[in-house]
Amino acid sequence: MATVLITGANRGLGLEFCRQYSKQGWHVIACSRNPDDAFDLNNLASHHNIQLETLDVSEFGQIDALSQKLAGLPIDVLINNAGIYTDNGNNGFGKLDYQAWTKSLLVNTQAPLKMAEAFLPQIKCSDKKLIVNISSLMGSMADNDSGGSIFYRSSKAALNAAMKSLAIELKNQSVGVLIFHPGWVKTDMGGPNALINAEQSVTGMRTLIEGFSLDQSGSFVKYDGTPMPW
């Protein structure tokens, strides 16, 4: 049975990944900061093969502890989905909240790399051997023609750069890396005016994950496979 580990699994894209993979018969390890309070996730887990784990990705000690707990378990796909958006009208340029910026970089950039480091042994002993990262077109410098969202943009651009490097470094170990723009999705972060729903986005990303080959490692693509500008 294939195994997927998903961070930020309690809502939005993370919850939809759990729903789709569990219905496909995968063993799903669903990680969130407070799984006991995640009603929808608990309801899903009561009907499917979903293992709930407490994980705040900003606490690296928790990441190491979970890796030790899962030592020896092959993890086919690691999905770094957890992320935060700390920009608002009160902390833009001229009144930057550097603590909020640091938090964005910690959760959106450093934590996915820490997850990859901590769980590399489990990934390497699996069949699929794939690290998936939920980034954003807002991390593209070529696409930025509106400015704003300095914290979020910079954290996702840094994630893209780091994961591109990781893809190169891990290729000789047959471990792949994918970087996704999930589209503008109707989630708590994306808002109600977004263009697609979580089911459409995750269905597209799952299709690309299923068809992944190592020569695609390091790619930055939209949920429908469209290449994204760096």
Side-chain angles (χ1 to χ4, degrees), residues 62-82:
Q62 290 187 23
I63 294 176
D64 286 331
L66 183 59
S67 177
Q68 292 172 12
K69 178 180 179 180
L70 301 178
L73 174 68
I75 295 175
D76 293 87
V77 181
L78 166 64
I79 300 180
N80 286 312
N81 169 71

Side-chain angles (χ1 to χ4, degrees), residues 9-11 15 32-45 52:
N10 58 305
R11 62 183 184 181
L15 181 62
S32 65
R33 287 179 297 173
N34 300 296
D36 290 343
D37 299 330
F39 174 81
D40 291 336
L41 181 57
N42 277 277
N43 183 53
L44 185 65
L52 303 182

Side-chain angles (χ1 to χ4, degrees), residues 81-92:
N81 169 71
I84 57 173
Y85 184 91
T86 60
D87 297 88
N88 59 58
N90 297 317
N91 62 14

Side-chain angles (χ1 to χ4, degrees), residues 4-195:
V4 58
L5 189 155
I6 303 162
T7 65
N10 58 305
R11 62 183 184 181
L13 294 174
L15 181 62
E16 185 61 26
F17 270 118
C18 291
R19 180 177 292 112
Q20 293 196 21
Y21 273 114
S22 62
K23 287 184 177 180
Q24 290 295 314
W26 284 50
H27 174 209
V28 176
I29 304 171
C31 303
S32 65
R33 287 179 297 173
N34 300 296
D36 290 343
D37 299 330
F39 174 81
D40 291 336
L41 181 57
N42 277 277
N43 183 53
L44 185 65
S46 69
H47 297 92
H48 296 281
N49 183 22
I50 297 178
Q51 175 181 339
L52 303 182
E53 295 290 350
T54 300
L55 180 64
D56 181 343
V57 297
S58 69
E59 298 291 339
F60 288 3
Q62 290 187 23
I63 294 176
D64 286 331
L66 183 59
S67 177
Q68 292 172 12
K69 178 180 179 180
L70 301 178
L73 174 68
I75 295 175
D76 293 87
V77 181
L78 166 64
I79 300 180
N80 286 312
N81 169 71
I84 57 173
Y85 184 91
T86 60
D87 297 88
N88 59 58
N90 297 317
N91 62 14
F93 184 72
K95 44 189 174 181
L96 290 171
D97 181 341
Y98 287 91
Q99 187 172 3
W101 194 357
T102 298
K103 182 72 170 180
S104 293
L105 291 166
L106 174 63
V107 173
N108 295 346
T109 308
Q110 294 180 348
L113 269 294
K114 175 61 179 177
M115 290 290 297
E117 275 193 321
F119 288 96
L120 184 61
Q122 292 93 326
I123 295 166
K124 287 173 63 177
C125 70
S126 74
D127 292 330
K128 192 70 175 176
K129 298 181 178 65
L130 182 58
I131 300 166
V132 172
N133 305 278
I134 306 304
S135 184
S136 171
L137 184 58
M138 291 182 72
S140 167
M141 288 181 283
D143 182 75
N144 185 359
D145 57 7
S146 62
S149 300
I150 289 174
F151 305 160
Y152 190 73
R153 287 185 185 279
S154 62
S155 67
K156 291 299 189 180
L159 173 65
N160 291 355
M163 286 298 172
K164 177 66 175 179
S165 287
L166 191 64
I168 295 168
E169 294 182 22
L170 294 182
K171 195 168 186 178
N172 65 354
Q173 300 179 54
S174 298
V175 175
V177 177
L178 264 180
I179 308 163
F180 277 125
H181 167 49
W184 186 16
V185 187
K186 294 177 182 177
T187 62
D188 289 348
M189 185 181 291
N193 297 321
L195 299 177

